[in-house]
Amino acid sequence: MLKKKEKYNVAVVGATGAVGNEMLTILEEREFPVDTLRLFASERSEGKVLHFKGKEIAVETLKEDSFNGVDIALFSAGAERSKIWAPIAVRSGCVVIDNSSQWRMDPEVPLVVPEVNAYDLKWHKGIIANPNCSTIQMVVVLKPIHDVAKIKRVVVTTFQSVSGTGKRAMDELLQQTVDLLNFRDIKIQVYPHQIAFNVLPHIDKFLDNGYTKEEMKMVNETKKIMGDYSIKVTATTVRVPVFRGHSESVNIETERKITADEVREILKKAPGVVVIDNPEKNEYPLPIYASGKDEVFVGRIREDESIEKGINMWIVADNLRKGAALNAIQIAEELIKML
Ligand code: NAP
Ligand code: 3JN
């Protein structure tokens, strides 16, 4: 298990991907106390050189003994890899912070957003799960409201950027946009339909209940992180032709009446939240401004006039940072603070 040290041996699994790349940037930016850094990806990337703090590090493929001597492993190489390699890493003595959905709903695994439930880190058994990006940015805003007014029901519609799908999807949006503007035929490879100049009400696979997996992740993960299974959640997740930054229209119904002004005051004091809510100046959160930032931005806060105790909000965050890499590194920071 993790022992207190001045610096830690860190591994990033999926280091060549969209999330992995962001992890390297954030480890460096936040001066995480890294002793050695090992980078892993698929066979396609073996030997590829990545940069960290001015040093070149060659990418390796995973082997049974890859995690020997590693203290903290940050996984972002997909659920299948996490399923196989996270237990191997734990057996080698390291703590795994996993970005995939593989372990999120496992009752033995804490699902953590530090601003909301850092206390759940106390009972980890080696694996800690990082929630889905759309869930993370929503719960950072919901928790302080829940503490004051108890949320009974959440209705959320997301507007998710293509970076949520990874590097290939970002390339596809760019290529389709360039091709369409040049009157050329387009290639459709990543999504079931053209994504440029389009909106797809479909993220991840469809399930038997008519929802997508992404929608059910938001439903189930929200309850686990908030530690309240009585909250009702329904979600519609939508892919939009935006490169980076997920936006969400969120409607809540509370047990206690709370005004829009009260919500603004609560959120102004909430950790990791920035309120941008000046409609008279056309000021509200936008993905182009949230991109590259660490905070979760919230605006368009208003009372839902169709019910007695309801609030509408617009929530935006950088999905690769707070939605994935940053949250994982904040978990690592909390863990070492606890030692
Ligand atoms: P990506 O850009 O496609 O990157 C995938 C990464 O996984 C690459 O580094 C890839 O290496 C590596 N990989 C693939 N097969 C591997 C193997 N057999 N062994 C080791 N590494 C392998 O995807 P991404 O957007 O970064 O997302 C990666 C994963 O993070 C997702 O699948 C998801 O589970 C998780 N994720 C979570 C959130 C969240 O909401 N918290 C958001 C986005 C993603 P190569 O470059 O060599 O192919
Ligand atoms: O599509 C998005 O905006 C977020 C995608 C997240 C994602 C993509 C592929 C696999 C996940 C996730 O984190 O839930 C997974 C997965 O691990 O299931």
Side-chain angles (χ1 to χ4, degrees), residues 77-80 82 98-102 104 130-134 160-166 191 203-204 213-214 217 221 238-239 246 319 323-324:
E80 281 169 50
S82 296
D98 182 37
N99 259 283
S100 83
S101 58
Q102 177 59 38
R104 288 183 192 147
N130 199 60
N132 177 269
C133 42
S134 299
Q160 297 182 220
S161 64
V162 296
S163 54
T165 317
Y191 299 114
I203 297 184
D204 209 332
K213 269 178 85 177
E214 183 79 355
K217 283 172 190 173
E221 293 176 19
V238 181
R239 186 73 65 196
H246 286 5
N319 52 298

Side-chain angles (χ1 to χ4, degrees), residues 134-147:
S134 299
T135 312
I136 295 178
Q137 67 182 67
M138 185 170 78
V139 295
V140 167
V141 171
L142 293 189
K143 182 61 168 40
I145 303 172
H146 187 58
D147 289 344

Side-chain angles (χ1 to χ4, degrees), residues 64-263:
E64 285 281 329
D65 63 358
S66 291
F67 298 98
N68 289 354
V70 174
D71 300 307
I72 301 169
L74 303 168
F75 273 61
S76 65
E80 281 169 50
R81 262 70 63 186
S82 296
K83 185 177 181 180
I84 299 167
W85 292 99
I88 294 173
V90 173
R91 281 199 294 278
S92 304
C94 91
V95 175
V96 170
I97 301 169
D98 182 37
N99 259 283
S100 83
S101 58
Q102 177 59 38
W103 306 99
R104 288 183 192 147
M105 297 314 296
D106 187 322
E108 300 282 294
V109 173
L111 180 64
V112 176
V113 178
E115 293 87 339
V116 178
N117 63 334
Y119 45 78
D120 280 324
L121 289 172
K122 281 190 223 132
W123 54 269
H124 85 83
K125 296 178 173 65
I127 302 177
I128 296 149
N130 199 60
N132 177 269
C133 42
S134 299
T135 312
I136 295 178
Q137 67 182 67
M138 185 170 78
V139 295
V140 167
V141 171
L142 293 189
K143 182 61 168 40
I145 303 172
H146 187 58
D147 289 344
V148 171
K150 193 167 186 343
I151 295 171
K152 283 168 40 182
R153 180 166 183 253
V154 181
V155 182
V156 52
T157 303
T158 68
F159 304 73
Q160 297 182 220
S161 64
V162 296
S163 54
T165 317
K167 221 169 147 296
R168 278 181 65 233
M170 295 169 84
D171 294 342
E172 180 148 317
L173 172 58
L174 179 64
Q175 197 55 52
Q176 285 182 358
T177 307
V178 170
D179 286 342
L180 285 165
L181 292 175
N182 285 285
F183 306 100
R184 290 195 295 254
D185 289 341
I186 57 158
K187 278 202 192 106
I188 297 173
Q189 285 169 326
V190 176
Y191 299 114
H193 303 278
Q194 169 187 324
I195 183 62
F197 307 103
N198 205 1
V199 164
L200 312 177
H202 175 187
I203 297 184
D204 209 332
K205 294 189 183 74
F206 281 104
L207 302 170
D208 290 344
N209 64 358
Y211 285 76
T212 63
K213 269 178 85 177
E214 183 79 355
E215 288 160 352
M216 292 315 294
K217 283 172 190 173
M218 290 194 80
V219 171
N220 297 322
E221 293 176 19
T222 298
K223 298 175 193 203
K224 180 168 174 178
I225 301 161
M226 305 261 286
D228 187 342
Y229 290 84
S230 73
I231 304 173
K232 294 189 171 77
V233 183
T234 186
T236 304
T237 57
V238 181
R239 186 73 65 196
V240 295
V242 167
F243 282 98
R244 197 162 161 153
H246 286 5
S247 307
E248 300 177 341
S249 163
V250 179
N251 173 269
I252 56 170
E253 190 174 356
T254 56
E255 202 165 278
R256 180 173 93 62
K257 169 80 184 161
I258 190 164
T259 65
D261 281 340
E262 279 179 275
V263 171

